[in-house]
Amino acid sequence: MKKKIFTEILAFVMAFTVFISSVYYLGYKYMPVRMNYGATWNMYVEEPENTIDVMFVGSSLAYCDIIPAIIYDQTGLTSYIIGAPNMNSGISYYYLKQALETQTPKLIMLEATTFCFPETSEKDSKINIGFMPWSLNRIAATFKVAAPKERLGLLFPLYNYHSRWGDYSFNAVFSPRADSITDIWAGYTFIDVTTKQEAVKERKYDTKGKDFKENMKYLEKIIKLCDDKGIELELFIVPSCNYVSEETTELIRKNAGNTKLTRFNDNFEDLNFDLEKNFRDPLHLNFSGAEIFTRTMAEHITDNYSITPSKKAPELWKERVENYITNSQEFEFKEK
Amino acid sequence: MNFNSLEYLLFLPTVLILYFLLPKPIKNPMLLAASFFFYMCWEPKYALLMLLSIVLTYLCGIFTEKEFAGRKKLWLVLCLITNLGILFFFKYFNFCTDTLSRVFSLFGTKQALPTLNVLLPVGISFYTFQALGYAIDVYRGDIKAEKNFIDYALFVSFFPQLVAGPIERTSNIIPQLKKSHKFRFTNLRDGFLLIIWGMMKKVLIADTLAIVVNVAYNDPHNYNGIQLAFATLCFSFQIYCDFSAYSDIARGSARIMNVELMRNFDFPYGAQSIKDFWRRWHISLSTWFKDYLYFPLGGSRVSKIRRCLNLMIVFLVSGLWHGAAMTYVVWGFLHGIYQVIGMLALPLKQKLYSKICKDNPVLSALRIAGTFILVNIAWILFRANSLSDAFGIFKKILLIPVNEYKLDLPVFGLSNSTLFIMFISVAVLILIDRANRNKPIAKIINNTVWLKYAVYLIILLSILLFGYYGPGFDPQSFVYFQF
């Protein structure tokens, strides 16, 4: 009888383990390959540990506008962009917490438009949280940022992606994911599309609703997190043709306390953008625009912070600079 | 709350835990409350309707048994009229006024008859028939009237079989509900296997087949004869998997509580005649009609003509029970015709079989194929959105030999790999159903520890991987909910 019960328990435990492992393994395998436009966590975890000097955090305004290879080329500082589409401050907080598990940057540059974004939409949660590595941060983001009806798919990715089984051969299921490699762009998303901009104007954001209040709570948490880790934090707002208003910027600045906030639209003229060539759309820069802005950003960092480059993973960074130079030389505008 | 919903995945374990933890006197009241909660998840106000039916049949049962006011029959008639009146009001009122309007228009009179804007209460046909069966049994003296209101109310509203059967008999359920059941691992094991097997039939097979069926039947004019024949074939397995899945999950859920519900299906597509088909398909409804309609009409102990008439009445009522639409009535009529022809041709068939060995496998296969085709012809009427659609589909299928049609499966919007999985699943289902008739497969599986868990794993992973669920999918309700 004892033997029978033991066999039953053993078989149950084994079956349960195989079941759970299969569910999570297949869920991970069937997730779409993600190599740009943010939430590229599978690539981030491949980055050699503790090699990043400066961490950029933000939405598409960060990962479309800053090219880490230029910063390295210009200053010797290694940097990486952690971001996700329409990333609000809740996601920014958990992304930052997760990113700091494997990297120890000296400076964090946080794109502050993140504090103007509303609640994460269903589609964005699926990407923004769904691609995070399994950790307490992911679980916390699932329960604190995602809407209740999205949680099941975030906790069990197979729920969201099981219908993709037909796209994979048997061998593909057991091969490494295509995005399990280091990111040659270090988080940047290459954009060669150009749209001509007619004017530079203010963009309205709702700062009176509960979303903005919630965002300010996360701003406090982010400041505390950086304080606790002894990392310098600066907020910045990228230059764009639809810029965040002075009023909204001041509101964020007020809530940020002693944390510095730089709005690059204040020096828009000095950046010498070509409105016909440097923008993907009113909000985002294209590759040529990102080149211009990143050079300014590199100067900004060296002017304001005395960070000694760690000079870690030089081969990888050499490859990244070469990749940037090649793309820069071969860059051709594509009119949208 | 659908069986194939997350809510049920939480609801069932909660009820089971409470059921086994609570002391005996509270077990059934808790189950009754849970059953009403389960029902109210659809439309809370219709729970009052069910309560009305329960109270009426409960009181009529007692009054009938005691011949209250010296009128035994009166109480039965009252019970029948009120219950069937409620059913008629919600299910058939609009159908009747619509049919009358059509009749008037045939004679050139345009008569605007009132229609009701009410939802059909889920499972009303099932619990009404179950309650009526009880009232008739009490009237006949086959059973004693149930005095305990909680037990009786639970018999009618027992959540596993409440909305889509099996339509149970008092003599089977009430004695089981009165017993105090302790948790047994064997019950959990048997019930769990039934539940996941049912889930697989529903989520993996029925809902995938539903895509093909819905695409073709909702716009039959755009599809050729072969495609419509294929869609009909898919429907035959969709409805079987859908309905038998519900019965399996119901039986599994009840089994864990050590309540044995009747088996509703017995490899129906292995039937060798239409009569045999009805012995294997929706057994609880077929036997209900046999016991409470066919036999009271005289059954088979009457003249041949009367017997034919009885069969036609039973199948017309059966058609109408399924739905308030002409398609269901004609479907029932066609099955009645099948039965009548089968009965009249019986001597001829027996003569023929006496010349050929009755157990000849080729003959058996031909009979199975013939029955399956006849059932499929009738399914066209059952599934078509209207009679004119059904006749259009018949016409296209009949013209297959004349026109050179191509099947062209991608028009149904399913990938080749999905279609492949679908075919494999249906083939496995047929093999298991067939094997199950000779030896209960579940017993073999559950008696071997490693095999049992291997089967659980395969079924669960198949559901999760190939099933029709998740965001972007529209989970299909069980087909029989609408009846």
Side-chain angles (χ1 to χ4, degrees):
Chain A
M1 186 66 187
K2 262 186 180 173
K3 195 185 167 193
K4 211 177 162 188
I5 294 171
F6 176 75
T7 315
E8 187 79 46
I9 293 170
L10 182 71
F12 171 78
V13 170
M14 281 176 72
F16 187 74
T17 311
V18 173
F19 176 69
I20 294 292
S21 317
S22 307
V23 165
Y24 281 96
Y25 180 75
L26 292 171
Y28 167 73
K29 277 289 167 183
Y30 291 157
M31 281 171 77
V33 168
R34 193 158 182 94
M35 300 177 84
N36 49 23
Y37 291 96
T40 54
W41 281 100
N42 283 325
M43 296 169 96
Y44 179 81
V45 296
E46 296 296 326
E47 194 71 13
E49 284 190 20
N50 303 318
T51 55
I52 303 297
D53 297 322
V54 180
M55 181 81 75
F56 291 97
V57 183
S59 64
S60 53
L61 296 169
Y63 63 70
C64 293
D65 289 10
I66 299 158
I67 305 168
I70 297 179
I71 296 177
Y72 182 78
D73 193 34
Q74 203 168 312
T75 66
L77 291 170
T78 55
S79 60
Y80 204 101
I81 307 155
I82 281 294
N86 298 319
M87 181 159 94
N88 66 10
S89 59
I91 298 284
S92 296
Y93 173 67
Y94 291 110
Y95 263 44
L96 190 55
K97 263 186 108 177
Q98 183 60 36
L100 296 179
E101 300 270 318
T102 52
Q103 298 294 339
T104 46
K106 288 137 197 142
L107 171 67
I108 287 166
M109 296 291 291
L110 179 62
E111 210 290 317
T113 318
T114 190
F115 299 113
C116 303
F117 287 128
E119 251 179 35
T120 313
S121 71
E122 192 176 338
K123 185 184 155 211
D124 289 333
S125 286
K126 200 173 159 183
I127 294 168
N128 299 357
I129 302 173
F131 280 89
M132 281 179 83
W134 285 104
S135 61
L136 286 175
N137 295 318
R138 178 182 169 139
I139 308 281
T142 302
F143 284 97
K144 292 190 174 167
V145 183
K149 65 173 183 175
E150 295 154 24
R151 287 175 192 156
L152 185 70
L154 294 172
L155 294 172
F156 303 97
L158 194 61
Y159 180 79
N160 281 338
Y161 298 110
H162 69 97
S163 59
R164 291 169 54 85
W165 66 269
D167 302 342
Y168 290 81
S169 66
F170 187 76
N171 285 340
V173 172
F174 297 100
S175 313
R177 285 178 60 95
D179 52 10
S180 287
I181 50 167
T182 48
D183 185 356
I184 196 71
W185 287 108
Y188 167 70
T189 296
F190 178 82
I191 290 173
D192 55 2
V193 175
T194 301
T195 48
K196 185 181 167 187
Q197 299 305 309
E198 302 294 341
V200 180
K201 55 190 175 194
E202 195 177 279
R203 190 183 187 199
K204 293 263 182 242
Y205 287 101
D206 176 20
T207 53
K208 295 203 165 63
K210 68 172 178 61
D211 285 341
F212 189 77
K213 278 182 192 157
E214 190 69 16
N215 280 331
M216 289 304 105
K217 277 186 199 166
Y218 276 109
L219 169 60
E220 255 179 59
K221 284 185 169 191
I222 290 169
I223 293 169
K224 188 171 182 305
L225 175 70
C226 293
D227 271 354
D228 292 348
K229 297 258 181 191
I231 305 168
E232 286 207 70
L233 170 69
E234 181 179 336
L235 309 181
F236 72 102
I237 298 174
V238 293
S240 72
C241 292
N242 269 5
Y243 61 89
V244 178
S245 70
E246 181 60 34
E247 190 190 347
T248 306
T249 312
E250 276 314 306
L251 212 53
I252 298 170
R253 191 170 276 141
K254 202 175 125 193
N255 281 281
N258 295 329
T259 307
K260 190 177 174 185
L261 194 161
T262 309
R263 191 173 74 144
F264 282 91
N265 260 90
D266 293 341
N267 305 316
F268 195 82
E269 301 285 313
D270 301 341
L271 290 164
N272 287 325
F273 283 123
D274 181 340
L275 293 187
E276 283 191 20
K277 289 181 178 173
N278 295 145
F279 287 85
R280 188 223 177 268
D281 54 43
L283 277 177
H284 304 94
L285 299 167
N286 63 14
F287 181 67
S288 64
E291 277 184 304
I292 297 168
F293 173 59
T294 308
R295 291 191 194 289
T296 308
M297 175 59 87
E299 275 172 29
H300 176 85
I301 292 170
T302 45
D303 288 351
N304 290 281
Y305 302 95
S306 49
I307 306 168
T308 316
S310 60
K311 293 180 181 170
K312 284 177 182 166
E315 286 304 311
L316 175 64
W317 281 97
K318 194 178 156 204
E319 206 183 321
R320 280 172 170 159
V321 172
E322 281 167 7
N323 170 64
Y324 155 68
I325 292 168
T326 312
N327 276 281
S328 185
Q329 285 164 353
E330 292 171 3
F331 181 71
E332 279 176 30
F333 293 109
K334 282 182 193 163
E335 294 252 1
K336 195 183 175 188
Chain B
M1 190 191 304
N2 275 333
F3 277 170
N4 56 336
S5 68
L6 279 172
E7 289 83 359
Y8 191 71
L9 274 184
L10 294 173
F11 171 81
L12 181 64
T14 311
V15 172
L16 291 174
I17 290 168
L18 285 173
Y19 182 75
F20 290 118
L21 287 181
L22 289 173
K24 195 193 169 210
I26 314 171
K27 277 186 199 291
N28 282 358
M30 185 282 295
L31 270 186
L32 181 63
S35 297
F36 266 81
F37 172 79
F38 176 81
Y39 192 73
M40 285 161 77
C41 287
W42 275 285
E43 183 62 64
K45 63 184 175 202
Y46 286 152
L48 287 173
L49 209 62
M50 185 167 71
L51 187 64
L52 178 69
S53 172
I54 289 170
V55 171
L56 276 170
T57 41
Y58 171 75
L59 291 175
C60 285
I62 292 172
F63 293 164
T64 307
E65 190 182 63
K66 295 199 165 162
E67 296 187 30
F68 193 72
R71 310 287 291 271
K72 188 179 177 185
K73 205 170 193 171
L74 173 78
W75 299 113
L76 174 69
V77 172
L78 187 72
C79 181
L80 291 177
I81 288 174
T82 46
N83 276 288
L84 291 174
I86 294 169
L87 184 64
F88 174 84
F89 180 78
F90 282 95
K91 193 164 175 178
Y92 302 107
F93 186 83
N94 286 349
F95 172 64
C96 285
T97 54
D98 183 50
T99 310
L100 275 175
S101 296
R102 282 164 194 254
V103 171
F104 285 142
S105 68
L106 275 178
F107 294 101
T109 318
K110 278 197 175 173
Q111 187 74 39
L113 292 170
T115 51
L116 292 170
N117 188 19
V118 286
L119 280 172
L120 179 67
V122 176
I124 188 167
S125 306
F126 287 92
Y127 71 71
T128 302
F129 268 42
Q130 191 155 309
L132 289 182
Y134 161 79
I136 298 168
D137 282 348
V138 172
Y139 175 77
R140 287 172 176 169
D142 293 344
I143 55 161
K144 288 198 165 174
E146 179 53 48
K147 307 291 183 304
N148 185 322
F149 179 75
I150 300 283
D151 288 352
Y152 175 72
L154 183 57
F155 156 69
V156 178
S157 64
F158 187 44
F159 73 86
Q161 40 91 235
L162 172 59
V163 288
I167 301 167
E168 276 294 346
R169 305 303 169 85
T170 326
S171 55
N172 180 34
I173 294 297
I174 290 193
Q176 294 193 68
L177 293 175
K178 281 186 180 295
K179 280 183 194 162
S180 173
H181 302 291
K182 283 185 180 158
F183 174 78
R184 279 183 204 283
F185 180 71
T186 47
N187 290 333
L188 173 70
R189 182 193 70 183
D190 296 350
F192 181 70
L193 185 61
L194 269 170
I195 290 172
I196 59 170
W197 178 242
M199 285 288 185
M200 193 180 92
K201 284 201 272 187
K202 170 69 179 158
V203 180
L204 202 157
I205 309 177
D207 287 355
T208 313
L209 290 171
I211 300 171
V212 175
V213 176
N214 293 344
V215 163
Y217 269 80
N218 289 342
D219 198 6
H221 311 287
N222 281 338
Y223 297 91
N224 65 41
I226 290 209
Q227 287 163 345
L228 290 168
F230 176 73
T232 306
L233 184 71
C234 288
F235 180 66
S236 66
F237 285 101
Q238 182 210 337
I239 192 159
Y240 169 54
C241 289
D242 192 285
F243 193 16
S244 66
Y246 189 93
S247 295
D248 286 344
I249 300 169
R251 288 176 62 221
S253 304
R255 176 80 60 84
I256 301 176
M257 289 178 265
N258 205 10
V259 174
E260 189 71 39
L261 298 181
M262 70 187 291
R263 206 171 161 197
N264 224 3
F265 294 89
D266 186 14
F267 188 34
Y269 294 141
Q272 299 202 13
S273 66
I274 292 293
K275 192 177 174 185
D276 188 20
F277 173 78
W278 281 105
R279 273 193 227 114
R280 298 157 176 250
W281 179 274
H282 202 174
I283 299 166
S284 64
L285 181 72
S286 308
T287 50
W288 196 99
F289 275 123
K290 191 177 77 183
D291 292 346
Y292 301 113
L293 186 61
Y294 185 65
F295 286 162
L297 285 170
S300 49
R301 289 184 207 154
V302 285
S303 68
K304 221 171 209 179
I305 295 174
R306 185 60 205 271
R307 200 174 155 194
C308 293
L309 185 69
N310 289 349
L311 280 170
M312 290 307 295
I313 291 170
V314 168
F315 278 94
L316 276 172
V317 174
S318 167
L320 209 53
W321 178 89
H322 279 88
M326 283 313 287
T327 46
Y328 296 111
V329 177
V330 180
W331 170 78
F333 179 80
L334 185 59
H335 268 283
I337 294 284
Y338 286 161
Q339 293 273 29
V340 168
I341 294 172
M343 188 192 80
L344 295 175
L346 193 64
L348 193 75
K349 277 200 283 185
Q350 279 171 342
K351 223 177 192 179
L352 188 77
Y353 297 155
S354 63
K355 286 183 183 166
I356 316 164
C357 176
K358 207 181 171 185
D359 296 327
N360 186 321
V362 179
L363 179 68
S364 295
L366 283 173
R367 292 182 69 191
I368 289 170
T371 308
F372 185 65
I373 290 169
L374 290 176
V375 169
N376 268 270
I377 291 169
W379 282 140
I380 294 175
L381 288 157
F382 194 92
R383 175 58 185 84
N385 293 339
S386 65
L387 271 183
S388 61
D389 270 11
F391 292 130
I393 293 166
F394 280 133
K395 198 177 156 190
K396 282 193 174 180
I397 292 175
L398 284 172
L399 286 175
I400 289 173
V402 183
N403 299 319
E404 279 187 22
Y405 288 138
K406 277 185 183 167
L407 182 52
D408 192 19
L409 288 175
V411 294
F412 295 114
L414 289 180
S415 65
N416 286 341
S417 41
T418 307
L419 285 166
F420 176 73
I421 290 291
M422 208 167 71
F423 291 134
I424 296 284
S425 312
V426 170
V428 169
L429 173 82
I430 293 169
L431 287 174
I432 289 180
D433 265 7
R434 196 179 181 284
N436 218 16
R437 282 212 102 205
N438 304 327
K439 215 173 186 180
I441 298 272
K443 225 173 197 176
I444 300 168
I445 293 169
N446 276 333
N447 282 340
T448 323
V449 175
W450 295 102
L451 178 66
K452 175 176 74 189
Y453 286 106
V455 171
Y456 289 175
L457 255 182
I458 292 168
I459 295 177
L460 287 172
L461 286 176
S462 302
I463 295 171
L464 289 178
L465 205 53
F466 309 122
Y468 185 84
Y469 71 95
F473 292 87
D474 176 24
Q476 307 279 310
S477 275
F478 285 88
V479 174
Y480 264 66
F481 275 17
Q482 60 185 303
F483 309 136

